[in-house]
Amino acid sequence: MKKYFLYAVGGVIALSAALVVYGFYLNIKSENNIAKMMEERAHSLTVAEVGYRMLAPQYSYGSIKLFSETMTDVVARVEGRVTDVYVQKSQAVKRGQVLYKIHNDDMDLELSKLQSKIAAAQAEYVKVEADKERRATLVKVGAVSRSEYDSYIAAAKAAATEVEVLEAEYQQLKNMHGNQAVTAPLDGEALLLYAEKGDYVQKGQSVALIGDFRELYFQKNLSYRDVKNLRLSESEQYLVFNEADFLEKGFDSSYKLQGQNIENKVKLALAETEPPLDVEAPIYTITWKVDNRAGLLETGVYRDVKIVDAISYKALCVDNKALFNIDDERKAAFIVDENKRLQLRKVTTGAANDTYTEILSGLEEGDEVIISGKEGLQEGAKVEVYRREGIREAF
């Protein structure tokens, strides 16, 4: 009986071991099947074709600050109250144009007093001169001594000097009175007005800021690669503004842009580069000159601007959405090969704009690159490509 019991126990153990082994086998087989299924799984992706296109290189800045090289403060030359303002902010002005009128009540009173003093001094001079002439006749006949006559000559000279001094003082005060008209020192634009009608200003106080804004400037740094891509030494560039910021600045000035078909770009020119472009350097400090003869810009900060090459050229390009960084220096893209598998291609890029990037190496014309759903992709993954309503897609 004991013998049969041992057989039964052994059979149970053997069966249990067999079940464990079989379960392990099924687990391995299931994992292999899952791996195979994952390998064969088709990804839902969108692709674009690498090809030759006309490319206008551009470079984007978060902000720039436009400034004028010709700006000056206009100061009051007399103390007084502003009675009239003849200019508005952002208005174009000519040299000598009257901007403000300043009135000084004390000056008017002083002029009136000086006029009275001059009249009295002139009357005194006429009287003393007449006395001198009479004494000259009496000296000839011996009725008056020579010394007495000399005293009248001295008195006449003193009276004449007094008239000259008072007249000079009057002219000086009159000139100051004329300075109550504050004029523009140069052709330009009224950027800021510090004084308003009714304000009391001191002599020497700044009342306005005038600048010649037909040419504006801004300064930025560019790398050697960016200088080369923008073709600064062989092409022309435009400065393209954020449209909302451009119109906001325009409306803030006195120009009426609304309803006008005005492009939000202006022509650029290189004003200065440090170092010169013919000297290879990692970083260049570029001073740009902006053509503002249309008067649509003012000094200040502009956001989200682009420098765009004026001339396009034919280049092998890829959609910007296909590229991603693999380190600080290099970019890459996934392509779909002839076996409908993904391949990772490291690329060397050139110039770029908002839509396309120039490819110098790593991709060829006709390559199909993934432009969506790149997250989590691995080289070798399988895709199915077909065309739907003109859109190239991969699944």
Side-chain angles (χ1 to χ4, degrees):
M1 193 69 182
K2 184 177 180 182
K3 180 180 179 180
Y4 291 114
F5 175 75
L6 292 174
Y7 284 154
V9 171
V12 170
I13 292 174
L15 180 60
S16 298
L19 289 174
V20 170
V21 171
Y22 182 67
F24 182 74
Y25 164 76
L26 290 179
N27 186 55
I28 295 296
K29 184 177 181 180
S30 176
E31 288 181 355
N32 289 336
N33 286 337
I34 291 173
K36 186 175 181 180
M37 290 174 61
M38 291 297 293
E39 182 181 356
E40 297 297 329
R41 179 173 66 94
H43 294 268
S44 177
L45 307 167
T46 305
V47 300
E49 193 171 280
V50 179
Y52 284 92
R53 294 175 174 84
M54 298 304 294
L55 180 71
Q58 70 180 41
Y59 190 88
S60 298
Y61 286 115
S63 66
I64 62 169
K65 185 176 182 179
L66 295 182
F67 64 90
S68 170
E69 289 191 334
T70 309
M71 286 197 299
T72 185
D73 276 323
V74 182
V75 300
R77 291 178 289 178
V78 295
E79 178 182 350
R81 192 168 301 282
V82 177
T83 57
D84 295 286
V85 180
Y86 300 108
V87 66
Q88 295 180 345
K89 183 178 179 294
S90 299
Q91 179 181 328
V93 297
K94 293 290 185 181
R95 181 177 181 178
Q97 180 178 334
V98 177
L99 310 178
Y100 289 94
K101 198 65 175 289
I102 299 173
H103 185 72
N104 186 310
D105 292 333
D106 293 339
M107 194 174 294
D108 290 339
L109 180 60
E110 287 299 319
L111 282 173
S112 178
K113 289 180 178 179
L114 276 174
Q115 285 177 323
S116 299
K117 288 182 179 181
I118 290 172
Q122 288 173 336
E124 178 65 17
Y125 171 72
V126 171
K127 176 180 177 298
V128 172
E129 185 67 21
D131 287 343
K132 185 192 75 171
E133 292 300 324
R134 284 195 298 271
R135 294 306 185 275
T137 302
L138 294 175
V139 165
K140 291 177 181 180
V141 298
V144 173
S145 68
R146 183 66 191 183
S147 60
E148 184 179 353
Y149 174 64
D150 288 343
S151 67
Y152 278 92
I153 293 176
K157 288 181 178 180
T161 300
E162 177 68 11
V163 171
E164 291 175 359
V165 169
L166 290 173
E167 286 180 341
E169 188 178 344
Y170 177 82
Q171 188 60 47
Q172 183 179 10
L173 190 59
K174 188 175 181 181
N175 290 339
M176 292 179 61
H177 189 273
N179 288 342
Q180 292 182 110
V182 181
T183 59
L186 50 81
D187 292 349
E189 184 178 326
L191 177 60
L192 293 172
L193 300 178
Y194 304 126
E196 299 179 352
K197 186 175 181 178
D199 289 349
Y200 195 87
V201 297
Q202 301 293 327
K203 181 180 179 180
Q205 179 179 333
S206 295
V207 293
L209 178 64
I210 303 296
D212 183 354
F213 303 139
R214 290 170 296 182
E215 291 179 351
L216 297 177
Y217 298 83
F218 70 95
Q219 192 175 79
K220 285 291 185 178
N221 291 335
L222 283 176
S223 68
Y224 173 77
R225 178 183 175 183
D226 293 327
V227 167
K228 185 177 179 181
N229 288 340
L230 279 172
R231 305 184 299 169
L232 296 188
S233 60
E234 56 186 276
S235 183
E236 295 181 342
Q237 288 76 37
Y238 283 95
L239 184 64
V240 180
F241 293 88
N242 173 295
E243 186 170 354
D245 200 28
F246 177 74
L247 291 177
E248 177 185 346
K249 295 283 186 180
F251 285 126
D252 189 46
S253 68
S254 62
Y255 301 101
K256 302 183 183 301
L257 301 179
Q258 195 168 20
Q260 297 186 34
N261 184 24
I262 296 176
E263 289 187 304
N264 57 325
K265 68 178 184 179
V266 293
K267 190 175 180 180
L268 284 179
L270 288 176
E272 184 181 2
T273 64
E274 180 59 39
L277 294 180
D278 57 1
V279 176
E280 187 170 336
I283 296 293
Y284 296 84
T285 299
I286 311 292
T287 303
W288 298 91
K289 180 169 68 175
V290 181
D291 184 354
N292 191 39
R293 287 174 294 178
L296 300 178
L297 302 172
E298 60 185 38
T299 57
V301 176
Y302 289 80
R303 303 178 300 273
D304 300 325
V305 300
K306 302 170 188 174
I307 298 175
V308 180
D309 202 306
I311 303 175
S312 300
Y313 63 93
K314 190 175 182 180
L316 183 65
C317 295
V318 67
D319 192 306
N320 290 341
K321 295 189 291 293
L323 300 175
F324 54 92
N325 294 321
I326 55 176
D327 56 39
D328 292 339
E329 297 292 333
R330 297 179 297 173
K331 294 181 181 293
F334 279 113
I335 71 163
V336 181
D337 66 15
E338 64 276 6
N339 297 318
K340 299 180 182 178
R341 300 269 180 187
L342 294 181
Q343 284 189 15
L344 181 68
R345 292 282 185 85
K346 297 175 182 179
V347 299
T348 303
T349 60
N353 60 23
D354 283 338
T355 307
Y356 296 106
T357 296
E358 181 181 13
I359 296 298
L360 302 179
S361 67
L363 294 174
E364 297 179 358
E365 183 180 12
D367 282 346
E368 291 185 324
V369 292
I370 304 301
I371 61 173
S372 70
K374 298 187 295 294
E375 294 77 9
L377 291 182
Q378 292 184 348
E379 191 169 15
K382 186 177 181 181
V383 294
E384 293 292 336
V385 179
Y386 74 96
R387 189 177 298 279
R388 182 186 69 184
E389 296 179 358
I391 301 174
R392 194 74 167 164
E393 295 194 348
F395 287 87

